[in-house]
Amino acid sequence: MSNTWYCQPLRKLEGYSLQHCQPLNSPQVWSYSNIANGNGCSILLSQDRFCTLESSTLTADHSASTVSLSPNESSLSHTDYPAGGLQINEEEDVSELKHKLKELETVMFGPDIDFLETYDDSVATRLASAEIDSWRQLMEVIPRGDLKQLLTACAKAVSNCDWLMAQWLMSELRQLVSVSGAPVQRLGAYMLEGLVALMSTSGSSINKSLKLRELASFELLSYMHMLYEVCPYFKFGYMSANGAIAEAMKDENRVHIIDFQIGQGSQWIPLIQAFAARPGGPPHIRITGVDDITSAYARGGGLNMVGRRLAKLAQAFKVPFTFHAVAVPACEVRAENLGIRAGEAMAVNFAFMLHRMADESVSTENHRDRLLRMVKGLNPKVVTLVEHELNTNTAAFYPRFVEALDYYTAMFESIDVTLKREHKERINVEQHCLARDVVNIIACEGAERVERHEPHGKWRSRFTMAGFSPNPLSSLVNATIKTLLQNYCDRYSLSERDGALFLGWLNRDLVAASAWK
């Protein structure tokens, strides 16, 4: 009903196309398309303030704060709450909601006879009753502050082009989210921003501006390192991959490792040390590092910086070493870029990077599968894969939102255990290391949505189609990971199935590691 009311007046405009509409002169109206089913809809948003991630650096304080954003402004503002946390006046909320419900009933059954006469009375009544029932159910939830239920209800309203419901829920959510609160409140702040960015069709501009307005490289690097230390997810992935490579290369004298997103090169430090201690002496190691401009910025320098760092380490451990730099995005890499040499045993590493490669749902070139077929043609001895265990690639908007909410809730909860809420750098770690991914998943589509994760079962199908077969991780790798987890909270879980290792938080798998040949 609300979707019909909001779209109806716009259809009367001469030559106006809803499928390819542009912003009207009024700053309160935006065009919107392809949220869930590809149908164009016009969005009427009020001038209420919302929040944007497109903000200056946040600094933590000891008071909870809510996030607000406006589709026409680019500043993240805070509404401070007492240090004791978020305060909710249930009586005022219920009274306000009853008033809103009464207004809705008046609109639905009011004097607009011309509108209702175009419909069968019984059909209109049933539709109105269903709408009112939905609002009544939410009225019971809001005083309880059930953020997960409110966020999913808001996403459902956006998916259904129910702008009246979505706008109301956003106004309620603004009062509950907080970048300084509980894990779900902190995540809710960024997910709310993603919803608002999607409705105002500003997801693209937010994504681009965030790439341009980065922190100084040393700050970004410090936040990334902090996340690496407080949670075992990256260590788990790197240790699993290194264990598979070390096992496959235990009898080789010349080893060539191709890393398709080398970053800081930190993954290879323990592997070089392990090879140095190998009985019979270390092999000659050559590492080919593939990189792009994003990683170069985070490092504060190009690939040569990584090469010098690893070469210095190898020299200290008396390991013969050479480094080969390939400073191009992974999707542009060709076999001739990799410097393949006869007589070298090859290992290829895909750690947390394949999900950013466009597949058949984005590009006819399908870089994701093309890269796997190219690597298979190089005849590597082992290929390692580490990826986040969630499905945000081809899923429609609403199930994608629900999946991201479940996954990142577990991630934020795990951060909360080690990096306490009063920690002055926690907000920055979450904002600069995780929040951008969340907003990209929710607010962007097409080629601009680069966070396109797939579960392990889908990766298994892709590797099999490319000609690979599973190479199960050894029991030694499993035992090493278990030792690692002893240094962390006992709520982390480790399981092995389908030839892969899964690291999770409670009952939610978060990272999967596997090896292929």
Side-chain angles (χ1 to χ4, degrees), residues 70-352:
S70 165
N72 295 323
E73 299 184 22
S74 60
S75 61
L76 188 59
S77 62
H78 298 254
T79 301
D80 292 331
Y81 283 89
L86 189 66
Q87 305 296 320
I88 299 175
N89 190 322
E90 296 190 9
E91 292 184 3
E92 291 182 4
D93 279 351
V94 171
S95 176
E96 181 182 354
L97 292 175
K98 286 180 178 179
H99 178 67
K100 290 179 180 178
L101 186 59
K102 185 63 178 177
E103 287 181 342
L104 178 65
E105 291 173 341
T106 301
V107 171
M108 287 181 170
F109 299 106
D112 195 356
I113 303 300
D114 292 338
F115 175 81
L116 290 178
E117 283 179 352
T118 61
Y119 295 89
D120 176 81
D121 289 341
S122 61
V123 174
T125 300
R126 287 198 301 272
L127 288 173
S129 297
E131 187 90 354
I132 291 174
D133 287 343
S134 176
W135 281 63
R136 280 178 174 151
Q137 291 173 7
L138 287 169
M139 188 177 69
E140 296 175 357
V141 172
I142 288 176
R144 297 200 302 267
D146 191 334
L147 265 178
K148 274 195 171 184
Q149 190 165 347
L150 287 174
L151 284 165
T152 54
C154 189
K156 189 68 173 178
V158 172
S159 177
N160 293 337
C161 297
D162 187 351
W163 312 127
L164 179 63
M165 176 71 80
Q167 188 177 358
W168 176 56
L169 288 172
M170 286 179 181
S171 69
E172 299 297 333
L173 284 166
R174 286 202 314 270
Q175 304 173 53
L176 300 176
V177 299
S178 168
V179 295
S180 300
V184 70
Q185 287 180 294
R186 306 198 306 263
L187 174 60
Y190 302 120
M191 300 202 81
L192 174 58
E193 179 199 346
L195 287 170
V196 175
L198 177 62
M199 284 186 65
S200 63
T201 66
S202 63
S204 173
S205 60
I206 286 179
N207 205 47
K208 290 177 181 177
S209 66
L210 284 172
K211 289 182 179 179
L212 295 174
R213 190 204 56 76
E214 286 280 12
L215 296 170
S217 59
F218 71 89
E219 290 181 286
L220 181 59
L221 182 58
S222 69
Y223 298 142
M224 293 168 60
H225 180 72
M226 189 175 298
L227 182 62
Y228 177 85
E229 290 296 332
V230 300
C231 295
Y233 305 118
F234 297 104
K235 288 183 181 179
F236 160 80
Y238 294 158
M239 289 178 67
S240 299
N242 287 355
I245 293 172
E247 179 71 18
M249 303 298 179
K250 61 184 178 181
D251 297 321
E252 301 293 340
N253 293 322
R254 301 188 69 84
V255 176
H256 182 195
I257 300 171
I258 301 173
D259 188 347
F260 271 91
Q261 186 169 302
I262 195 166
Q264 309 295 323
S266 303
Q267 177 177 350
W268 308 117
I269 294 175
L271 185 63
I272 291 174
Q273 294 172 333
F275 276 133
R278 193 175 73 172
H284 181 280
I285 301 175
R286 187 160 67 99
I287 294 181
T288 292
V290 180
D291 201 17
D292 57 27
I293 192 170
T294 302
S295 295
Y297 179 85
R299 279 193 306 268
L303 281 170
N304 290 335
M305 178 184 295
V306 179
R308 288 193 299 269
R309 180 188 182 195
L310 294 177
K312 184 176 181 180
L313 174 76
Q315 183 179 17
F317 282 90
K318 297 181 172 55
V319 175
F321 179 84
T322 56
F323 184 81
H324 176 222
V326 181
V328 298
C331 63
E332 298 177 13
V333 172
R334 299 295 184 268
E336 53 268 26
N337 302 132
L338 300 174
I340 307 302
R341 298 176 184 174
E344 291 180 331
M346 186 190 308
V348 177
N349 184 58
F350 294 120
F352 301 107

Side-chain angles (χ1 to χ4, degrees), residues 53 178-191 227 230-231 233 404-421 426-439 492 505 510:
L53 190 64
S178 168
V179 295
S180 300
V184 70
Q185 287 180 294
R186 306 198 306 263
L187 174 60
Y190 302 120
M191 300 202 81
L227 182 62
V230 300
C231 295
Y233 305 118
L405 176 59
D406 185 58
Y407 182 91
Y408 283 99
T409 295
M411 184 74 76
F412 273 62
E413 286 177 353
S414 67
I415 292 174
D416 205 56
V417 169
T418 308
L419 211 56
K420 300 301 181 182
R421 295 178 198 177
R426 182 193 48 72
I427 292 177
N428 286 320
V429 169
E430 292 173 346
Q431 182 186 5
H432 295 291
C433 300
L434 298 175
R436 178 189 291 173
D437 295 349
V438 172
V439 173
Y492 288 105
W505 176 257
L510 294 178

Side-chain angles (χ1 to χ4, degrees), residues 485-504:
L485 294 183
Q486 291 176 1
N487 299 318
Y488 293 89
C489 174
D490 59 6
R491 278 174 273 183
Y492 288 105
S493 61
L494 183 68
S495 60
E496 184 176 6
R497 61 182 185 276
D498 300 326
L501 276 179
F502 295 85
L503 176 64

